[in-house]
Amino acid sequence: MISVPPGYVAQTTSTLAACLARVPHLAERLGGKPDAWHIEEVGDGNLNLVFKVYGPRGAMAVKQALPYVRLVGESWPLPLSRAHYEHTALSEQAKHTGRLTPEIYHYDDKLALIAMELLEPHIIMRHGMIAGIEYPRFAGDISTFMARTLFFTSDLALAADRKKAMIGAFSGNTALCKITEDLIFTDPYRIADLNRWTKPFLDAYAARWREDDDLKLAASRLKLKFMSSAEALLHGDLHTGSVMLTTQDTRVIDPEFAFMGPMGFDVGAMVANFLLNYFSQDGHEDQAGARNSYRAWILQTLVQIWNDFAEKFLALWRGHATGDAYPSSLFQGELGAIRLEAERRAYMSRLWTDTLGFAAAKMIRRILGLAHNIDLEKITNERVRATCEARALTLARDMMVNPGGYPDIAAVAAAARSMRAWTPEFS
Ligand code: SR1
Ligand code: MG
């Protein structure tokens, strides 16, 4: 039996009502008597319990951390403290992005439980993209979320003491960082018990990826950056499963992997998930070409996400440079302003290179590592799935070892389009 701190009890649909009833403002929000509340467990993520709770007056979502990795079971213990980091990150993100995060109603540290706004009729974005739904607001919303959370928690906006306090506040989230360090940057490139891939089609790919020194060096360089560059507060797991939305409203959820890390890691996660979904569409269309216009939307949105993000981030830097980095007193006059603007452009270019590398690492891990994406997993014809995956793997490898070939996001979109025309040998 896994040990848990005193007071912690993993909730079930039978126990949760009594637990919520002990918090007067939650009971008030739900209305009526606890035995009239309808509760469902709906968690389909890798780590936690998630409940939907409906009362006569109102409703809420309740997320509770389990003391182990749900995907694997009790053999992989995981600290409950991740609920604390998630709650702290949600509060910080809400300060900068307002309604792009769910409203928090209550946090219980002992139970590692967060009660929050129930997002309905929102769905998990990954499911919407598998169904071929276009989200016209998404690029604007996610670029705002990333630009504002990353800028306002960086040295460009914060005084040095506040930035270091923030590093301290998130420095204990080591177990979640270790998952990323192992599952994204290490395991896909070695023989690891939990690795899996579409067999037998991708056997040769998995072997080649493990033997590729250029790739392993690039992945290790990214890992070092992830471990050592405390640039800003990251969401830490910003994929399309961490977004709930409708065509009119976007919310970013689940920042339990939050820590102070390199900005490109968050932006790269979004890029990776768009590319994976793009390649998966061949497995979701009922006849060849049926998803052509959706594929075009994916790539056009991908391009807009980076371009809008870069523009918004630069605008924040020009208008709100309240941090201790780049003191304005050093860049006075017309020439100073010109040099500083050139420096901003160079910064964005480095951030683009990081984004490209992290995106590639995140694509590879979802195909050769433990935790896969339903975008690809849902494709039941394994040869078709492996074809989509081989294309994604091949593009990702090139993005990681040959970043100079991708000067901008449009080049990535163009390469994805060409890669789709390539047929792997087993197909
Ligand atoms: C063992 S946890 C596997 C993955 O699930 C989460 O969503 C993160 O992406 C993590 O890497
Ligand atoms: Mg999650």
Side-chain angles (χ1 to χ4, degrees), residues 188-231:
Y189 308 97
R190 66 180 176 189
I191 291 178
D193 287 346
L194 295 173
N195 281 348
R196 57 202 183 83
W197 55 83
T198 306
K199 293 182 178 174
F201 305 106
L202 295 187
D203 287 350
Y205 285 75
R208 280 210 306 278
W209 264 236
R210 284 197 304 270
E211 284 152 19
D212 187 331
D213 287 331
D214 290 334
L215 189 60
K216 288 190 281 187
L217 281 171
S220 300
R221 224 174 278 132
L222 288 160
K223 179 175 181 177
L224 177 62
K225 183 157 276 189
F226 177 83
M227 295 168 81
S228 59
S229 291
E231 290 178 340

Side-chain angles (χ1 to χ4, degrees), residues 45-48 63 86 235 237 239 241-242 253-257:
N46 294 330
L47 302 179
N48 308 294
K63 176 172 177 181
E86 173 162 354
H235 176 285
D237 201 21
H239 50 67
S242 295
I253 62 169
D254 269 4
E256 66 204 307
F257 283 78

Side-chain angles (χ1 to χ4, degrees), residues 327-358:
S328 56
S329 56
L330 300 190
F331 304 100
Q332 298 293 310
E334 201 180 330
L335 192 56
I338 290 170
R339 295 297 302 272
L340 187 55
E341 183 59 18
E343 179 70 10
R344 291 189 192 107
R345 299 264 167 204
Y347 180 101
M348 293 313 286
S349 161
R350 289 194 297 274
L351 179 48
W352 165 246
T353 306
D354 289 355
T355 297
L356 194 64
F358 286 124

Side-chain angles (χ1 to χ4, degrees), residues 31-356:
K33 297 260 181 269
D35 56 10
W37 299 345
H38 174 72
I39 303 183
E40 294 165 23
E41 206 277 314
V42 294
D44 66 351
N46 294 330
L47 302 179
N48 308 294
L49 296 171
V50 181
F51 301 91
K52 287 179 172 185
V53 186
Y54 301 88
R57 185 179 300 129
M60 62 189 65
V62 175
K63 176 172 177 181
Q64 187 183 32
L66 286 165
Y68 54 86
V69 173
R70 185 177 183 164
L71 172 70
V72 175
E74 297 199 8
S75 61
W76 187 342
L78 198 62
L80 298 170
S81 60
R82 64 188 188 272
H84 158 79
Y85 294 109
E86 173 162 354
H87 176 244
T88 311
L90 277 168
S91 311
E92 182 66 26
Q93 291 163 347
K95 279 201 281 186
H96 306 300
T97 67
R99 274 186 62 84
L100 290 176
T101 56
E103 186 185 341
I104 301 302
Y105 299 151
H106 180 70
Y107 171 61
D108 186 319
D109 196 52
K110 257 201 195 111
L111 287 173
L113 175 151
I114 306 172
M116 65 190 112
E117 183 181 3
L118 180 64
L119 298 169
E120 281 185 338
H122 302 59
I123 60 169
I124 295 283
M125 184 173 198
R126 199 183 283 305
H127 297 158
M129 290 182 76
I130 292 168
I133 302 171
E134 295 185 15
Y135 293 102
R137 290 190 56 90
F138 181 70
D141 286 340
I142 200 69
S143 55
T144 296
F145 179 89
M146 295 190 301
R148 294 185 67 85
T149 57
L150 297 176
F151 179 81
F152 284 115
T153 60
S154 76
D155 288 292
L156 301 171
L158 291 177
D161 56 348
R162 287 196 52 215
K163 166 79 185 320
K164 287 175 178 62
M166 197 170 268
I167 293 175
F170 285 92
S171 65
N173 205 10
T174 53
L176 281 277
C177 288
K178 175 86 171 115
I179 287 181
T180 299
E181 289 149 16
D182 289 345
L183 296 193
I184 298 185
F185 300 110
T186 313
D187 286 355
Y189 308 97
R190 66 180 176 189
I191 291 178
D193 287 346
L194 295 173
N195 281 348
R196 57 202 183 83
W197 55 83
T198 306
K199 293 182 178 174
F201 305 106
L202 295 187
D203 287 350
Y205 285 75
R208 280 210 306 278
W209 264 236
R210 284 197 304 270
E211 284 152 19
D212 187 331
D213 287 331
D214 290 334
L215 189 60
K216 288 190 281 187
L217 281 171
S220 300
R221 224 174 278 132
L222 288 160
K223 179 175 181 177
L224 177 62
K225 183 157 276 189
F226 177 83
M227 295 168 81
S228 59
S229 291
E231 290 178 340
L233 177 62
L234 304 190
H235 176 285
D237 201 21
L238 192 55
H239 50 67
T240 48
S242 295
V243 174
M244 292 193 72
L245 79 182
T246 65
T247 52
Q248 304 302 319
D249 188 52
T250 308
R251 308 298 184 94
V252 179
I253 62 169
D254 269 4
E256 66 204 307
F257 283 78
F259 83 114
M260 298 295 281
M263 300 185 190
F265 187 78
D266 267 6
V267 190
M270 217 14 96
V271 171
N273 278 265
F274 263 65
L275 289 171
L276 289 172
N277 185 274
Y278 173 79
F279 286 114
S280 79
Q281 291 296 331
D282 283 288
H284 302 310
E285 59 191 1
D286 39 26
Q287 52 180 309
R291 291 281 181 104
N292 280 351
S293 79
Y294 195 62
R295 270 187 279 270
W297 177 82
I298 296 172
L299 292 186
Q300 173 203 316
T301 305
L302 171 68
V303 169
Q304 199 192 333
I305 289 171
W306 167 266
N307 287 342
D308 283 8
F309 161 74
E311 201 177 292
K312 288 172 187 177
F313 190 94
L314 278 169
L316 289 170
W317 190 347
R318 292 184 196 113
H320 303 271
T322 48
D324 280 343
Y326 296 99
S328 56
S329 56
L330 300 190
F331 304 100
Q332 298 293 310
E334 201 180 330
L335 192 56
I338 290 170
R339 295 297 302 272
L340 187 55
E341 183 59 18
E343 179 70 10
R344 291 189 192 107
R345 299 264 167 204
Y347 180 101
M348 293 313 286
S349 161
R350 289 194 297 274
L351 179 48
W352 165 246
T353 306
D354 289 355
T355 297
L356 194 64

